[in-house]
Amino acid sequence: MLLRHARCGVSVVAVQAALLTSLSGAAAQSGESALPPVTVDAPIAAPLKPRKPAVTAVRNRSAKPVSSVEGPPAAVATGGQGAGTARASLETPPAVARYQLPQRSFSITAKEIDETINLRDPEDAVKYMPSLFVRKRHDGDNQAVLATRSWGLNSSARTLIYYDDLLISALIGNNNSGASPKWNLIVPEAIGRVDYLNGPFAAAYPGNSIGGVLLITSKMPDKPFATAKETVSVMPWSQYGTSSTYVTSQTSAAAGNRDGALSWLISANYRDSYQQPLSYVTNGSVPAKTTGTFIAPSRTGGVADVVGAGAVAHSQQTSGNIRLAYDVTPLVQATYSFAVWNNHQTSEPQTYLRSTVTGQPTFAGLSGFAPNKYTWDELHVSNAVSLRSDTKGVFDFDLSASSYNYLQDILLNPYTVVASPGLGYSLNGKVTRMDGTNWQNADAKGIWRPDGIDGPHEVSFGVHGDRYRLENPVYASTVWYTAPSTGNGLLYSTGIGETRTEALWVQDAWKIIPNVKLTLGGRLESWQALDGLNVNTTATGAGAITSVTRTQQPSLSSTNFSPKLSLSYDPNKDWNITANFGEAYRYPTVTELYQNISVSNVTYLANPRLAPEQDFTGELNLERRWQDGRARLTVFGERTNNALISQTTTVTDVAGNQSFQTAVSNVAAIRMRGVELSADKDNVLISGLQLFGSVTYVDSRIISDPSWTGATTVVGKRVPYVPDWRAKVGVSYRPNESWVYTVAARYTGKQYATLDNTDVVPHVYQAFDPFFVVDMKIHYNATKNFSFDFGIDNLFNYQYFLFHPFPGRTFVLAGKYTF
């Protein structure tokens, strides 16, 4: 087991009250700035102005990073996204500039995040970006999936999320549990900038970019610095029979320096988090000889009486990250990053039932409580290396490789509960392991400028390879809470398998005339799934194994070509019109193919014969730019053949115990059409007043699903997990250099979790409710070194379910000191 971490000390906090934040964040002010990001796609910031290639070009080893208030002069190159702006987040992202990527983007800098967002986790940074939503159920959630404008909360493998050179998207699966992005590796105080790129329009990215690409860049220093932040969040909670106050304390720190050719950044984070119930134990009837049941329907109108809170967890998480950058020559830089994250988490379910015989609390013999009693220990590490040039000459290159490893990932829980009455658990149990699971990614990229950096053609190209390995045995144990890593040696189940992808890609960004650019690209991919093995058993209610089935799964393979096309036109320096098209293939993940597992009363079923999904996406963008703002209208359409969609269904046994099964299948064809309107403007009516907002509408439909065998039809129904409406609106006000007041609201409409859209009952466990929440924050710069925050998320305490119950009103206090 992992070492237990001592709890952090007293919070350094102060207060002042008012309002919250935006995707583009704050009006530009001098202060904290981020180095030109060193990412897998953009190690060096775009030049302030075009320059001819020259062999005498030299990078100043001690040059200061680009300030957040600085920007290049008005752009003449077509497709610029905010050229000549006064705010860094409105500038073209470095990755887009370096590779001439055709995607439209949204960005936010560390300064804007710090001033306007109640940031406890890295994923909070995208809270107000148009169309984006992160399924964050509590502080430190390690199952927080990013949803985009046309893909929902079950689509972790349909977005790509990078932290510098490391892919933190867990493409081991496509779900909102074990395949969620590894946000926890990132220390909030180390973030320099976040950029989101829409759609699968760049040949440089694999088909998992269907939903988009999120680039998180660390702030590498050019001089000594250190910062420390203490944050406390407090959430009073009352729902069904649970009433309590849940507190999270968090300490985050970062330090770095640059000494000649070497720069370094070290960051660390510790979080001690108590969480509201993440699930409820339900039953098909009121247990005999008990009181305390909350009568409730299921989301489809059946019976799902609530008899207790399920996973009520306490987690202690530690993460650390070190990043080194070394200038091999003035124009070539090598980087290395190492990150570690561990988590010790325990859960204690709560019964609402009392025996009418003894008057004491009881589980009433309901086995659904047992999976929610657990101890979970995780230790994950990552490594990433890169070597890249920045000559701005005829040729530049990027070489990068990364790996992610589950060194320890073991969950212990009892098999069942003791017979009624009582609150006891069986002595025997399960040992669920993921350690041994790992993946690797490698890329070699080049940029060829045959006519120099000002020339009409810029050709980029590359080679990609990845490997994803699943190791997921579940052992029986004799004594569940002291079980060794292999239990008593007997397997309840195992899932083993591997996927591999190799790819070649090329793109030509052709500036036909100064204000018209045509970008053509293509990606050739070869995918295979192999070594698939499943062992499944049947067992008695007490856990005794009665039969064993061992299945060697068939190998799969697919080779596909994906064309890309973009045409961009700048009528003048203030307007841009861009049309994009991209085809993409999203291949089945190793857990979709081979994972059979039961966690917290939810069983995930493998499907070893899944086909890749084929996606066609097109969009038309009309954009108006100001020096301190931007407005964009996007009309988009998408069709996906063989869409990989999962569903969760309720299973009730003869005793009334309810559990849930999740399975993935290919849906023959779906289509989505929609419109997205966003705007962000500083100094509206008065100096220092920033307004921002967005609204997105999606009409999603199932076109064909001949494999559907249900009693109802699914053709014409809405695509699961895709809401029809999303909207965000907010205001930030900066009366002076010391104060920032922000308030923002977020709305998401109804979404379904079933293919036939029969989950129509709202505000019950497992429902997917529409919601409207308002957040606020006050940021105060007390001195040059000290700043303080007071904020409230979900100000009006709106209660809603997205399968799980989501956080209510949460008070956030923070104090930060910068050396």
Side-chain angles (χ1 to χ4, degrees):
M1 291 299 170
L2 301 176
L3 294 176
R4 306 299 191 261
H5 301 286
R7 297 199 181 174
C8 288
V10 180
S11 306
V12 182
V13 178
V15 300
Q16 264 83 42
L19 306 83
L20 193 20
T21 180
S22 110
L23 95 100
S24 305
Q29 299 179 25
S30 60
E32 177 177 304
S33 56
L35 250 190
V38 184
T39 71
V40 74
D41 290 304
I44 305 298
L48 295 183
K49 58 183 178 180
R51 56 186 173 95
K52 297 285 187 178
V55 295
T56 58
V58 175
R59 183 200 297 138
N60 185 344
R61 293 183 187 270
S62 59
K64 291 186 177 181
V66 177
S67 167
S68 62
V69 298
E70 294 175 345
V76 292
T78 187
Q81 300 181 45
T85 63
R87 179 154 39 101
S89 59
L90 295 173
E91 297 299 334
T92 302
V96 173
R98 180 170 172 83
Y99 280 97
Q100 297 294 297
L101 301 178
Q103 288 115 315
R104 301 294 89 186
S105 66
F106 299 97
S107 305
I108 189 168
T109 64
K111 179 179 175 62
E112 297 165 343
I113 295 169
D114 191 47
E115 291 181 341
T116 60
I117 293 178
N118 291 320
L119 184 82
R120 287 98 77 198
D121 297 290
E123 59 267 34
D124 292 331
V126 307
K127 186 183 296 186
Y128 303 112
M129 285 187 176
S131 299
L132 300 187
F133 174 75
V134 178
R135 190 201 78 146
K136 179 185 165 183
R137 303 167 300 170
H138 57 81
D139 291 349
D141 191 358
N142 60 354
Q143 299 182 9
V145 170
L146 176 66
T148 60
R149 69 186 180 192
S150 56
W151 291 103
L153 302 176
N154 66 332
S155 299
S156 63
R158 293 189 181 95
T159 53
L160 294 170
I161 305 173
Y162 293 90
Y163 179 47
D164 292 327
D165 308 305
L166 176 69
L167 178 66
I168 66 168
S169 292
L171 301 184
I172 195 78
N174 180 54
N175 57 51
N176 50 24
S177 55
S180 300
K182 304 304 179 181
W183 305 100
N184 308 79
L185 283 178
I186 304 173
V187 176
E189 291 308 299
I191 296 174
R193 179 184 175 105
V194 181
D195 301 297
Y196 175 72
L197 315 180
N198 265 319
F201 307 123
Y205 295 112
N208 305 91
S209 63
I210 289 172
V213 181
L214 191 73
L215 305 174
I216 304 173
T217 306
S218 59
K219 47 185 176 187
M220 293 297 290
D222 73 319
K223 60 183 179 181
F225 94 100
T227 184
K229 184 178 183 180
E230 181 75 9
T231 305
V232 173
S233 59
V234 180
M235 182 181 65
W237 177 267
S238 181
Q239 191 173 65
Y240 292 120
T242 301
S243 182
S244 187
T245 298
Y246 299 96
V247 179
T248 296
S249 63
Q250 177 176 331
T251 301
S252 182
N257 192 13
R258 183 178 182 94
D259 184 10
L262 177 67
S263 58
W264 56 271
L265 175 67
I266 297 177
S267 54
N269 190 74
Y270 174 78
R271 179 187 294 106
D272 191 328
S273 176
Y274 290 86
Q275 302 151 15
Q276 86 277 6
L278 299 182
S279 63
Y280 288 102
V281 180
T282 61
N283 202 54
S285 62
V286 177
K289 298 180 181 180
T290 68
T291 60
T293 296
F294 287 83
I295 304 301
S298 70
R299 65 187 183 185
T300 56
V303 177
D305 295 338
V306 178
V307 296
V312 184
H314 171 216
S315 67
Q316 295 167 292
Q317 300 182 29
T318 305
S319 59
N321 204 311
I322 181 169
R323 181 168 177 81
L324 306 173
Y326 181 75
D327 293 339
V328 180
T329 74
L331 299 176
V332 177
Q333 186 179 73
T335 64
Y336 170 72
S337 296
F338 172 80
V340 60
W341 170 75
N342 73 27
N343 177 35
H344 173 69
Q345 183 169 307
T346 59
S347 173
E348 190 72 47
Q350 176 191 5
T351 182
Y352 301 152
L353 302 175
R354 283 186 174 270
S355 169
T356 57
V357 177
T358 67
Q360 298 299 309
T362 179
F363 287 147
L366 299 178
S367 61
F369 285 98
N372 292 287
K373 170 74 172 180
Y374 63 78
T375 299
W376 190 7
D377 284 293
E378 301 171 275
L379 175 61
H380 296 187
V381 299
S382 69
N383 290 270
V385 295
S386 69
L387 181 69
R388 54 177 54 85
S389 68
D390 186 36
T391 67
K392 304 295 192 298
V394 174
F395 180 76
D396 274 308
F397 66 86
D398 282 0
L399 307 175
S400 63
S402 65
S403 68
Y404 192 95
N405 291 273
Y406 292 49
L407 295 187
Q408 183 182 25
D409 200 305
I410 301 177
L411 185 145
L412 309 178
N413 66 274
Y415 191 86
T416 189
V417 298
V418 298
S420 180
L423 291 176
Y425 299 96
S426 64
L427 195 59
N428 65 309
K430 293 182 178 181
V431 180
T432 301
R433 295 179 55 181
M434 287 284 286
D435 43 336
T437 297
N438 64 87
W439 58 82
Q440 299 81 39
N441 284 267
D443 286 273
K445 303 178 182 180
I447 305 172
W448 179 44
R449 308 177 184 96
D451 301 301
I453 201 165
D454 290 335
H457 288 276
E458 183 166 307
V459 180
S460 54
F461 52 90
V463 179
H464 169 83
D466 61 53
R467 170 187 174 272
Y468 290 84
R469 180 73 181 179
L470 173 70
E471 301 279 352
N472 191 196
V474 180
Y475 293 96
S477 62
T478 304
V479 181
W480 77 268
Y481 51 86
T482 60
S485 59
T486 56
N488 59 19
L490 296 177
L491 278 171
Y492 279 125
S493 67
T494 193
I496 297 173
E498 189 171 306
T499 62
R500 300 175 185 173
T501 310
E502 292 83 36
L504 299 170
W505 64 271
V506 64
Q507 172 189 283
D508 182 14
W510 176 22
K511 195 184 302 178
I512 301 174
I513 57 177
N515 62 339
V516 176
K517 182 169 69 176
L518 175 66
T519 304
L520 298 171
R523 188 177 182 93
L524 178 65
E525 294 172 296
S526 177
W527 169 85
Q528 58 179 326
L530 63 159
D531 295 340
L533 172 66
N534 286 114
V535 175
N536 299 307
T537 64
T538 58
T540 66
I545 295 173
T546 58
S547 68
V548 179
T549 303
R550 181 184 177 92
T551 306
Q552 193 73 45
Q553 303 294 3
S555 296
L556 303 173
S557 63
S558 184
T559 299
N560 308 97
F561 178 75
S562 304
K564 318 285 184 178
L565 172 67
S566 175
L567 182 64
S568 181
Y569 170 55
D570 288 330
N572 54 51
K573 67 181 181 64
D574 297 327
W575 289 87
N576 172 260
I577 303 170
T578 298
N580 289 324
F581 170 80
E583 181 182 357
Y585 287 84
R586 206 279 281 178
Y587 297 106
T589 63
V590 66
T591 64
E592 289 173 309
L593 294 167
Y594 305 128
Q595 187 181 59
N596 283 315
I597 190 175
S598 181
V599 177
S600 295
N601 222 31
V602 180
T603 299
Y604 298 89
L605 302 176
N607 186 345
R609 298 183 182 277
L610 293 171
E613 61 184 16
Q614 180 188 31
D615 185 86
F616 302 91
T617 300
E619 66 175 20
L620 179 64
N621 296 277
L622 176 64
E623 183 175 299
R624 171 66 162 94
R625 301 183 293 256
W626 297 272
Q627 187 176 21
D628 59 356
R630 174 173 60 194
R632 182 185 297 159
L633 175 67
T634 301
V635 179
F636 59 89
E638 189 168 352
R639 179 187 171 103
T640 305
N641 299 326
N642 290 321
L644 293 160
I645 296 178
S646 66
Q647 282 196 103
T648 300
T649 56
T650 303
V651 178
T652 304
D653 65 18
V654 293
N657 288 294
Q658 291 186 329
S659 60
F660 315 103
Q661 290 185 347
T662 296
V664 181
S665 63
N666 283 114
V667 176
I670 64 174
R671 68 113 175 109
M672 287 169 275
R673 300 169 182 165
V675 60
E676 177 185 82
L677 175 64
S678 64
D680 182 3
K681 183 70 168 63
D682 298 337
N683 304 313
V684 178
L685 301 179
I686 60 174
S687 177
L689 184 67
Q690 177 197 9
L691 298 180
F692 59 90
S694 64
V695 60
T696 305
Y697 173 74
V698 182
D699 177 27
S700 63
R701 299 292 166 183
I702 298 172
I703 303 302
S704 174
D705 189 14
S707 64
W708 173 257
T709 58
T712 60
T713 183
V714 299
V715 173
K717 300 298 178 63
R718 281 170 46 188
V719 177
Y721 307 104
V722 180
D724 50 358
W725 288 96
R726 285 198 186 108
K728 304 176 183 182
V729 63
V731 57
S732 287
Y733 178 53
R734 297 170 176 78
N736 52 48
E737 295 292 321
S738 297
W739 295 90
V740 183
Y741 304 89
T742 309
V743 64
R746 295 171 286 142
Y747 171 77
T748 293
K750 171 62 180 174
Q751 54 191 296
Y752 295 94
T754 57
L755 284 168
D756 58 357
N757 294 180
T758 54
D759 51 321
V760 296
V761 179
H763 304 296
V764 296
Y765 176 48
Q766 295 192 14
F768 282 78
D769 293 326
F771 62 88
F772 175 79
V773 296
V774 177
D775 310 320
M776 56 150 286
K777 179 175 180 177
I778 297 174
H779 176 79
Y780 174 50
N781 295 312
T783 69
K784 180 180 178 181
N785 303 105
F786 273 110
S787 64
F788 301 98
D789 298 320
F790 170 68
I792 303 175
D793 282 345
N794 196 354
L795 179 64
F796 300 114
N797 199 31
Y798 189 87
Q799 290 197 343
Y800 60 101
F801 290 86
L802 296 175
F803 191 98
H804 306 273
F806 265 62
R809 182 187 296 115
T810 304
F811 301 89
V812 182
L813 301 121
K816 180 177 180 179
Y817 184 77
T818 302
F819 299 86

